[in-house]
Amino acid sequence: MPHDWNLDQVPDLSGRVMIVTGANSGVGYEAALALAKRKADVVLACRNQDKARAAADRIRKEAPTARLELIPLDLSDLSSVQAFADSFREGRSQLNALIFREGRSQLNALINNAGVMALPKRTTSDGFEMQFGTNHLGHFALTGHLLDLLLATPGSRVVNVSSIAHKFGKMRFHDLQWERSYSKWGAYGQSKLANLLFTHELDRKLKDAGNDTISVACHPGWAATNLQEAGPRMDGSKLMERLSAWGNAMLAQDAAAGALPTVFAAVEPLHGNEYVGPTRLMGWHGPPEIIEPLNKARDPEAAERLWDESERLTGVRYAFG
């Protein structure tokens, strides 16, 4: 495997079906574009359909033959997660109807990319703390709802996009929803640590059940997207919004570079439970490589406890048979 991995190493993906959540902007958009250019069938799973249509138009300008589908998905609403999965599985969308006509009922990669960062205290429509509810619980539910298609597709995988922020994250099992007190950065770190614990436990359960579906994780380093400015904007802090914009301009790599670990995790031959990210400048920049998260991200007791809590909170039970 080349040390300086880049998109030239991505094989032809014709016939592969991939879902990218949050594909209308930032890292999600760049990952969807890269996969579409390599002829994957890409589903753009986005909350805002106007932005999703604009993103699809931009992708088609660069990849005129791209096969894309837009299906609404709001990860902060479990009913929307269920509706997305039902629509995809039942072939009600244009792309999936074509896939079904071609005799392919499959899902090669579910890329759990969408997320929110360092928001002022908010709750989801189901009453969960917004960052934990969106970044972790929404994707946990989505993966569970689509597990049957993943298991039916040889060599499929789940890609969970985490963050360097897992390093300062802590699982507050006594107060997962931050009802006693709230730290916007603490809540973000917890949600990103949860992404890695979920990756670990999902891969363990898949292997224990004898499935060849794998679960892997990645992080984009410091990538310049609108994610950094959204929290300050919601807080009404013009100063922090300007500082975030300055940091993106001066210190971050662009979103296309930030998407490389996601694409690597989606297409490279992997065994499961790998963590992919840049390795230069404290992990902020550089081509993707397989790296190691902190030990707490693979704590088996914490991973199992989070799994049980996630099933209880979402009502989604995984069937690995």
Side-chain angles (χ1 to χ4, degrees):
M1 185 183 301
H3 181 68
D4 286 343
W5 191 93
N6 58 61
L7 294 179
D8 292 337
Q9 276 76 61
V10 179
D12 186 307
L13 301 174
S14 298
R16 298 196 201 182
V17 181
M18 300 185 173
I19 294 172
V20 183
T21 70
N24 58 279
S25 65
V27 168
Y29 169 80
E30 295 293 346
L33 172 62
L35 297 170
K37 282 184 171 180
R38 270 64 180 181
K39 301 182 180 179
D41 297 339
V42 183
V43 178
L44 311 184
C46 308
R47 182 176 58 83
N48 186 313
Q49 288 299 282
D50 288 337
K51 292 181 179 179
R53 283 188 285 272
D57 289 343
R58 294 198 306 274
I59 290 173
R60 290 190 179 104
K61 285 182 180 178
E62 296 200 44
T65 62
R67 300 211 311 184
L68 308 174
E69 181 58 37
L70 284 61
I71 307 178
L73 173 64
D74 183 350
L75 288 158
S76 69
D77 182 347
L78 292 179
S79 65
S80 174
V81 175
Q82 176 75 72
F84 173 93
D86 290 344
S87 179
F88 180 79
R89 184 187 297 106
E90 294 168 13
R92 292 201 295 261
S93 70
Q94 180 182 352
L95 173 59
N96 219 25
L98 177 60
I99 293 167
F100 273 63
R101 286 200 302 272
E102 293 173 349
R104 294 187 288 128
S105 176
Q106 69 184 72
L107 176 56
N108 297 86
L110 170 59
I111 300 173
N112 291 325
N113 160 80
V116 292
M117 185 175 76
L119 304 181
K121 182 68 181 291
R122 297 286 190 278
T123 56
T124 70
S125 60
D126 302 288
F128 306 130
E129 186 277 314
M130 183 63 76
Q131 299 187 81
F132 183 68
T134 301
N135 298 352
H136 169 62
L137 291 176
H139 282 128
F140 178 91
L142 178 65
T143 306
H145 287 314
L146 295 173
L147 185 64
D148 58 338
L149 285 178
L150 288 161
L151 296 181
T153 306
S156 65
R157 64 185 64 187
V158 177
V159 178
N160 294 312
V161 181
S162 183
S163 166
I164 296 173
H166 86 274
K167 293 182 178 181
F168 60 76
K170 180 179 180 181
M171 297 309 305
R172 292 164 46 99
F173 287 112
H174 66 288
D175 187 20
L176 283 173
Q177 310 304 334
W178 295 82
E179 295 169 324
R180 301 180 188 179
S181 62
Y182 183 69
S183 161
K184 62 184 180 181
W185 283 106
Y188 181 66
Q190 174 181 254
S191 73
K192 295 290 101 180
L193 177 58
N195 292 154
L196 291 176
L197 290 169
F198 170 46
T199 299
H200 175 81
E201 186 67 3
L202 175 58
D203 196 69
R204 184 189 70 80
K205 290 180 181 295
L206 287 164
K207 286 180 169 59
D208 284 352
N211 302 121
D212 71 349
T213 298
I214 63 172
S215 171
V216 298
C218 62
H219 81 84
W222 187 344
T225 71
N226 59 14
L227 195 65
Q228 290 88 348
E229 298 172 46
R233 190 176 302 119
M234 292 176 69
D235 262 333
S237 174
K238 294 294 185 182
L239 174 61
M240 290 307 299
E241 190 175 345
R242 286 194 292 269
L243 286 174
S244 295
W246 179 88
N248 278 346
M250 300 300 294
L251 301 174
Q253 58 184 353
D254 62 25
L260 291 179
T262 299
V263 179
F264 182 108
V267 305
E268 280 294 318
L270 299 172
H271 300 291
N273 202 30
E274 287 93 346
Y275 184 42
V276 180
T279 57
R280 299 175 187 168
L281 199 66
M282 300 182 293
W284 291 356
H285 288 197
E289 298 180 30
I290 296 172
I291 58 176
E292 287 297 320
L294 296 187
N295 289 338
K296 64 181 177 180
R298 289 176 174 163
D299 180 335
E301 292 183 5
E304 185 174 3
R305 185 174 181 183
L306 176 64
W307 186 281
D308 292 343
E309 283 295 306
S310 301
E311 285 196 333
R312 181 182 68 82
L313 292 168
T314 63
V316 176
R317 301 288 188 271
Y318 281 55
F320 292 94

